[in-house]
């Protein structure tokens, strides 16, 4: 099973029957819902139903709802990952004098908040726009042991946070027609970046990504998270000209397309 | 009339600098915290906002303008401040003795990144503005008052305030951008500012959750701070001595 299948199940069941008031479904979002209701959102998301997020079919629906649903799936992944880690005891309470545990408790709290926030933004769990949590396998069929081996947990945490930063960035244009949703997404995006920086620094790396390097100790399988990060040409300006390519690439984080993120997320979805 | 956000009307604004230092967690000396010229009209209907006012001299003072060029020029002003600050940090006489290896690495990287951001905006605006000769924001002048660049505490506290302010500024400015390409560019930069903020906060208080602390991340929504230009400029303006206005930004 992959992300495509779960999208298909919910879309076929509920999205096609979505005849209710979109305004109502977003009422929990306050002003955000109000603005979204006035935005030009394709009501019949049948194209999304069958094609969105499909690993083998493009493209992603360039809609605010699609972006929110996509974000929610990523937040489900992060939230469950950290919750399971905290439950498992894999994070040594004494690590760095207790620092690591404090860090991941804070990150876990934020991811949990993001899940709740996005569900509310989609109109709640009864909304036609709600997407359920997929089933995750963070061991990837036994290849990884993140809840028994702390370095593996740290490596996956870094990969998820750096992916999150790139994923939200890739959705920004899909939210440009809904200013309040765009702002909220940006407000999550920068939190993911704060997380990413701290997790990287716990692992002894810089808080920012040099070139397209995944960094020491990262499994080869995580390279897809970093491919394309080494850009040094921004709007015609060579960012490597002053201090070299590493600094130039560090100064800008690059987006991932929905397809690229789906390919990464699919590794952990069963 | 829309916001009368006037940065630094008369002389180096001590009040604004105080407010900035307050934000940075430094102890204030004295009283009278007033945001001179700061408009609170955050909730004004944006319907009358002119969207096509180009940056340039208006009534004798440079105004940032509105629309995408206004937002980019606003970002250029903030990046000028950050770049100038870290340039002074890494060139301070006791830089090597004040900071340990890791701190020097972080601060040197931040110096590189912010100078790159500044020069990027200058190049991008020069290339995109219809008449950059009159519409490009000039190089700004800065005054950090009595701040001691050889004080680890003061430098890190100011860096933290600058980076958090940068994150809030970009987060608040995103919705003002009309072009998806410019929005993406802002997105590419803001996450790096957030990485910076996290690292600086972690240097200040490593054994804690301060890297994404409850003082900046809402504890029920998990959202970071987002602020309009009219809230940001009075803060950043505390260090900027060149007069300019932002009458056409919210």
């Amino acid at each position: 099973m992959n992300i495509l299948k779960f999208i298909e199940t919910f879309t076929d069941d509920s999205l096609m029957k979505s005849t209710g008031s979109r305004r109502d479904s977003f009422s929990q979002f306050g002003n955000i819902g109000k603005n979204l209701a006035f935005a030009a959102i394709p009501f019949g998301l049948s194209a999304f139903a069958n094609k969105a997020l499909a690993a083998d079919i493009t493209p992603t629906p360039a809609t605010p709802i699609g972006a929110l649903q996509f974000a929610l799936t990523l937040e489900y992944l992060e939230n469950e990952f950290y919750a399971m880690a905290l439950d498992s005891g894999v994070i040594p309470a004494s690590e760095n004098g207790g620092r690591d545990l404090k860090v991941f408790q804070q990150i876990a709290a934020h991811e949990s908040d993001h899940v709740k926030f996005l569900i509310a933004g989609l109109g709640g769990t009864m909304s036609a726009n709600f997407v359920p949590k997929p089933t995750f396998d963070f061991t990837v069929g036994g290849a990884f042991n993140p809840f028994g081996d702390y370095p593996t947990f740290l490596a996956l945490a870094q990969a998820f946070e750096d992916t999150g930063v790139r994923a939200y960035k890739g959705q920004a244009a899909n939210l440009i027609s809904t200013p309040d949703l765009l702002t909220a997404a940006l407000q999550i995006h920068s939190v993911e970046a704060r997380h990413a920086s701290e997790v990287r620094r716990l692992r002894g790396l810089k808080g920012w990504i040099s070139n397209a390097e995944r960094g020491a100790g990262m499994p080869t399988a995580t390279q897809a998270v970093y491919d394309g990060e080494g850009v040094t040409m921004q709007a015609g300006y060579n960012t490597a000209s002053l201090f070299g390519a590493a600094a130039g690439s560090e100064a800008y984080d690059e987006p991932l397309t929905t397809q690229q993120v789906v390919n990464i997320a699919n590794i952990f979805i069963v | 009339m829309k916001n009368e956000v006037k940065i630094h009307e008369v002389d180096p604004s001590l009040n604004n600098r105080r407010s900035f230092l307050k934000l940075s967690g430094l102890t204030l000396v004295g009283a009278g915290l007033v945001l001179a010229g700061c408009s609170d009209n955050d909730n004004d209907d944006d319907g009358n906002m002119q969207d096509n006012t180009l940056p340039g001299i208006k009534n004798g003072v440079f105004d940032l303008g509105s629309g995408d060029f206004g937002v980019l020029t606003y970002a250029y002003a903030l990046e000028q401040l950050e770049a100038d600050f870290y340039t002074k940090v890494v060139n301070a006489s006791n830089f090597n003795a004040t900071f340990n290896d890791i701190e020097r690495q972080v601060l040197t990287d931040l110096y590189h990144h912010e100078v790159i951001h500044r020069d990027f905006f200058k190049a991008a605006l020069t290339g995109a503005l219809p008449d950059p000769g009159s519409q490009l924001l000039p190089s700004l002048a800065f005054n950090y008052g009595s701040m001691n660049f050889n004080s680890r505490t003061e430098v890190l506290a100011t860096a933290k305030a600058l980076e958090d302010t940068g994150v809030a500024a970009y987060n608040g400015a995103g919705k003002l951008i009309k072009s998806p390409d410019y929005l993406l560019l802002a997105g590419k930069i803001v996450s790096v500012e957030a990485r910076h903020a996290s690292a600086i906060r972690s240097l200040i208080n490593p054994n804690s959750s301060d890297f994404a602390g409850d003082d900046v991340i809402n504890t029920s929504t998990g959202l970071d701070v987002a602020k309009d230009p009219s809230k940001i400029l009075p803060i950043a303006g505390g260090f900027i001595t060149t007069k300019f206005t932002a009458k056409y930004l919210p």
Side-chain angles (χ1 to χ4, degrees):
Chain A
M1 178 150 181
N2 62 26
I3 203 166
L4 168 61
K5 291 178 185 161
F6 96 82
I7 290 287
E8 283 178 345
T9 56
F10 87 80
T11 48
D12 289 348
D13 287 350
S14 57
L15 205 58
M16 306 297 279
K17 297 187 289 190
S18 175
T19 55
S21 163
R22 197 161 301 276
R23 190 187 305 253
D24 288 346
S25 73
F26 277 84
S27 59
Q28 291 185 48
F29 235 29
N31 286 331
I32 292 175
K34 183 180 66 181
N35 281 2
L36 190 64
F38 292 119
I41 301 163
F43 198 68
L45 292 175
S46 56
F48 175 67
N50 293 318
K51 296 185 167 104
L53 306 177
D56 51 349
I57 303 173
T58 57
T60 306
T63 65
I65 288 177
L68 286 197
Q69 291 171 324
F70 181 68
L72 175 56
T73 298
L74 287 180
E75 297 291 349
Y76 279 141
L77 183 151
E78 290 185 314
N79 183 42
E80 183 162 303
F81 178 69
Y82 293 116
M84 289 180 72
L86 289 171
D87 283 347
S88 72
V90 70
I91 305 166
S94 60
E95 191 77 12
N96 285 322
R99 171 180 174 182
D100 290 34
L101 194 54
K102 290 176 192 168
V103 165
F104 286 110
Q105 285 170 337
Q106 183 77 347
I107 291 177
H110 291 160
E111 309 303 6
S112 173
D113 289 342
H114 294 164
V115 167
K116 289 180 216 153
F117 181 81
L118 288 167
I119 289 175
L122 285 165
T125 56
M126 300 308 290
S127 163
N129 294 317
F130 171 75
V131 293
K133 183 182 75 61
T135 302
F136 299 108
D137 173 17
F138 297 106
T139 75
V140 191
F144 297 132
N145 183 20
F147 307 124
D149 179 63
Y150 188 53
T152 300
F153 164 77
L154 281 176
L156 288 186
Q158 176 186 319
F160 290 150
E161 297 298 341
D162 280 333
T163 298
V165 174
R166 300 189 68 180
Y168 274 94
K169 209 184 312 295
Q171 297 301 313
N174 293 340
L175 294 164
I176 203 165
S177 64
T178 51
D180 289 338
L181 288 180
L182 172 63
T183 300
L186 286 169
Q187 289 174 285
I188 297 178
H189 171 244
S190 62
V191 173
E192 302 295 336
R194 288 177 189 264
H195 293 172
S197 178
E198 179 71 359
V199 173
R200 296 174 62 88
R201 297 184 72 256
L202 287 181
R203 296 188 66 255
L205 301 177
K206 290 181 175 185
W208 22 96
I209 301 166
S210 305
N211 304 308
E213 298 165 7
R214 63 182 182 271
M218 291 294 286
T220 314
T222 64
Q223 184 57 37
V225 176
Y226 299 96
D227 286 343
E229 266 290 351
V231 176
T232 54
M233 192 60 73
Q234 301 290 351
Y237 176 75
N238 181 1
T239 63
S241 60
L242 289 174
F243 307 109
S249 65
E250 288 166 1
Y252 296 77
D253 281 333
E254 299 301 319
L256 286 172
T257 65
T258 304
Q259 182 73 70
Q260 289 170 320
V261 178
V262 164
N263 291 344
I264 293 167
N266 271 339
I267 298 170
F268 302 97
I269 293 174
V270 293
Chain B
M1 173 168 306
K2 282 300 296 183
N3 300 303
E4 292 272 352
V5 183
K6 296 202 176 179
I7 299 308
H8 222 306
E9 285 273 23
V10 182
D11 67 339
S13 170
L14 192 56
N15 285 330
N16 285 350
R17 188 175 306 120
R18 284 198 184 125
S19 70
F20 192 87
L21 293 176
K22 183 185 180 195
L23 187 73
S24 72
L26 294 181
T27 304
L28 291 177
V29 180
L33 193 60
V34 178
L35 293 182
C38 173
S39 163
D40 275 337
N41 298 338
D42 232 7
N43 296 320
D44 278 5
D45 182 359
D46 287 352
N48 295 327
M49 183 73 69
Q50 294 184 45
D51 231 8
N52 54 358
T53 305
L54 286 162
I57 304 285
K58 293 186 178 52
N59 300 321
V61 182
F62 194 96
D63 189 274
L64 301 183
S66 67
D68 285 0
F69 286 134
V71 175
L72 294 182
T73 300
Y74 165 60
Y76 178 38
L78 296 179
E79 296 290 354
Q80 283 196 42
L81 169 59
E82 289 190 309
D84 182 82
F85 172 75
Y86 290 111
T87 300
K88 287 187 168 65
V89 168
V90 299
N91 286 296
S93 56
N94 268 337
F95 180 63
N96 288 329
T98 304
F99 299 98
N100 67 30
D101 289 351
I102 291 176
E103 291 164 347
R104 285 201 304 277
Q105 176 70 68
V106 168
L107 291 167
T108 302
D109 280 356
L110 268 52
Y111 156 66
H112 289 160
H113 301 167
E114 304 299 2
V115 168
I116 290 168
H117 290 166
R118 177 192 66 194
D119 285 19
F120 159 77
F121 276 112
K122 183 175 185 180
L125 281 164
T126 300
L129 284 165
D131 179 19
S134 67
Q135 295 159 347
L136 180 68
L137 179 72
S139 293
L140 303 174
F142 304 94
N143 183 340
Y144 301 90
S146 61
M147 207 185 79
N148 178 5
F149 281 87
N150 289 316
S151 160
R152 177 184 179 278
T153 303
E154 290 188 33
V155 166
L156 292 183
T158 306
K160 169 182 158 182
L162 278 175
E163 300 295 346
D164 281 339
T165 300
V167 171
Y170 279 102
N171 280 353
K175 68 179 180 185
L176 305 175
I177 298 175
K178 299 290 186 291
S179 151
D181 292 339
Y182 289 146
L183 176 61
L184 178 58
L185 280 166
K188 291 181 179 196
I189 292 174
V190 64
S191 57
V192 174
E193 304 290 348
R195 290 174 188 269
H196 291 172
S198 173
I200 291 290
R201 287 168 157 269
S202 184
L203 290 178
I204 293 172
N205 196 5
N207 192 357
S208 75
S209 59
D210 280 7
F211 68 98
D214 293 349
D215 58 323
V216 279
I217 313 301
N218 184 292
T219 52
S220 61
T221 61
L223 300 188
D224 210 327
V225 180
K227 286 183 175 166
D228 278 343
S230 61
K231 300 295 188 193
I232 295 289
L233 286 171
I235 300 170
F239 288 145
I240 303 173
T241 56
T242 304
K243 189 189 330 186
F244 67 86
T245 58
K247 291 185 178 179
Y248 304 95
L249 291 172

